[in-house]
Amino acid sequence: VRTNYNFLWLFFSLLEQVIPSTKNYDIIFNLYDKKHFFFFGFPLKISFSSLYIKIESWIYIFNSVYVLNDYVVQYFKIFIMFVLIFLITNVMFGVPYFFSFTAIKEKEKLGQYECGFQPFDEATRYPFDIQFYVVGILFLIFDVEIALLFPWVYTLHLLTWLGFYVMMLFLIILTVGFFYEWHRGALAWSHINLLVTKKVI
Amino acid sequence: MLFNINSFNNSLNVFQVNCCESKIANFQKISYSDFLGITPEIFLGSSILIGFILIGLSNFAPNIKIFEQKKHITPVLCKFVEISLIWSIFIFFLQLFFLGLNSQFLFTGYTIIDLYSTVIKISVNVTVFFLLKLSKNYVMKHPRHLMEYPILLLLLTFFLGILVSAYNLLTAFLAIVGFSLTIYVLLLYDSFNHSSREAGIKYFYLSTFSSGLIISGIFFSYIIFHNTNFLFITWQLHNWTWFNNLPHKILLFHFMVYFLTFGFLFKLAAFPCHLWAPEIYDGSPHPITALFVLPIKIATLGFFLRLLNYTFSDLYQSWNYILWFSSILSMLWGCIGALNEARIKRFIAYSSINQMGFLFIGIVCGTFESLRATFIYLFLYIIMNLGFFILFLTTKENITRRALTYLTDFNDYAQKNYFYTVTFVIILFSMAGIPPLGGFFGKYYLFLHSFEVGQFSLVIIGMVTSVVSTYYYLRIIKVMWFEKPIPDRFIFKTNLKGSMFNIYILIECILVLFFVWSPWTFILSNILIGVAIHPLTSI
């Protein structure tokens, strides 16, 4: 009777991801050899166009399923990370729920914003000053700029003229954008209210 | 000791590397010739920056007075953008002359310039130039005076040019994101209008979804090939062996192709992803619907053709039947949807869906002649729709300057503008496919070459839908010529000022009448297919 050890292979390979040393399983690994895994004889090179038409195409698809399991093995650590994230977040949000019955409830603590800004009426579906968003977007752009600049500075001695001037071009584009925003009046807080009252915007 | 299939070498073997080496030698470093290759893009980009500086300088002091100054700066900006577009077209022609039939990889194989990309870039720039000229009045008269409009059009052409000349999936994605951002801004131009705002937000959500589909396709291609370059992908697909480790990943191939095709079908408004088109065309301002119909579709179709017929030419059988269903059903949907449509821009959307189905016929058949037929039909699509929009965008009410919205607004149109109506009739007849005009021959070649291959279903459905579609094209002509004018209604009249527009319209008529008769169309489209689209010619 021909036994199929392919699933065993999957099981132990998964084990290997969790337990670092699997040297003890070498004897078991010899049971399912390559020839069992390729349980049909394969041509070395196949024409792609005939792949979908011929009857034997199911063989390839059937085997590729096993190979997809290999992807499962590769990304198993990430899967574990997801599980851990799920657990930790649930614990972090769940545990305070049981201990927070006796907490002091103040207005400032329950407010949405810690910046000192009082919400008009509710947090959602009511007008909110657009200037916060504009400043936030500006901050984000220049934050990203700094994140790009640090590795550039660190490897400046390795770069050619191209590496230098590409960053200069990037900085020029950013400064033009900043100039445009500044002179368009995006940073001016006081003028916006004036324009709204005059019904220009 | 664990037997792992991925322990096989993922990279190329020695023989393959030696074969690629002659071409990959270009990929090693960046030289001055790369910057010489993108002179039009440098020109466009620098003019965009100068335009933004001009806008900034006009608003130097944030006062109330700036809003009066706006009206002085916009015509200057429009003129500036027109001149830069004309010069970029001139440089593209120079590039055509110097490049000839050669192709050149730029920036380590991230982009390519060849005849195919330059021709499509020229057509994109020409359409944007006309649309800017037509929409200048709209911008000036609109209560919300957005003076960034011409600069945003330049940004759009810039990113569409990058999309057309992309030779790497990541470059293409960058260009798609770039032009989508400009389109989000332009769609919300008329944001005080409820329907326009709705259309802008809808397009924002749907377009981000389709961009997500495209990026996930790129993700799958990176999983399979460990690379996103077109040359690498074509080479790997053409030399399909067990040592490449490709046959194991056959299911991932399907995912890659499906994600990429459906993402691009959304951008092209073809069948399974077309439902956004009528509502967003209807809600958006008039010049921006023209942008949707003309330059964006031309550029995305140009890139899509290169992607399918060049890089995924060996995966023919996995994208072929998708496009088959898409072409048939978009022809039918566009045909049936436009039958009872009262609003003009929804009508345009349905007719463009129908025409996109016709364009897909040639891609599905996949022969040299059928691809040539798609190119001919693509050029005809550009000419016909540009002519339609020249007349549609310039037609306004005499008193309130309201634009056309309903098909019944064409009532008694012929009495007011006789010669323009004649051109309108010619364009609509060629859209319907009446024999002596260009549209007939475009459809004729498509049907002929699909019949040769044996795709009878495409031919039959295409013929039936083109017969039915004559009904709604003829209905407009009937409304123009034979309907009685409604009493107490303002008069619609074309606002074509100057002799230049008359000349444009005359050129339109001549192109629609004689475009197909000239041998140069066939020669050009033959070269386009032979150089860029036919697989593995450049390796």
Side-chain angles (χ1 to χ4, degrees), chain B residues 160-203:
Chain B
L160 290 177
I162 291 170
L163 177 64
V164 170
S165 65
Y167 201 65
N168 193 320
L169 286 168
L170 287 175
T171 320
F173 184 73
L174 187 91
I176 286 163
V177 168
F179 84 74
S180 309
L181 279 170
T182 55
I183 277 294
Y184 303 148
V185 177
L186 288 168
L187 262 176
L188 289 165
Y189 185 99
D190 197 7
S191 63
F192 290 104
N193 186 7
H194 179 75
S195 63
S196 172
R197 196 165 57 214
E198 186 190 338
I201 297 296
K202 261 183 194 169
Y203 185 73

Side-chain angles (χ1 to χ4, degrees), chain A residues 99-110:
Chain A
F99 292 99
S100 65
F101 292 116
T102 58
I104 303 157
K105 286 171 183 171
E106 291 176 5
K107 199 184 174 187
E108 281 74 19
K109 263 199 165 182
L110 294 172

Side-chain angles (χ1 to χ4, degrees), chain A residues 43 48 70 74 180 183-184, chain B residues 4 6 59 148 242 249 314:
Chain A
F48 187 80
D70 206 0
Q74 283 183 11
Y180 167 74
H183 290 286
R184 198 69 211 271
Chain B
N4 191 351
N6 283 333
N59 284 354
E148 287 88 350
W242 288 102
K249 299 170 181 172
D314 286 326

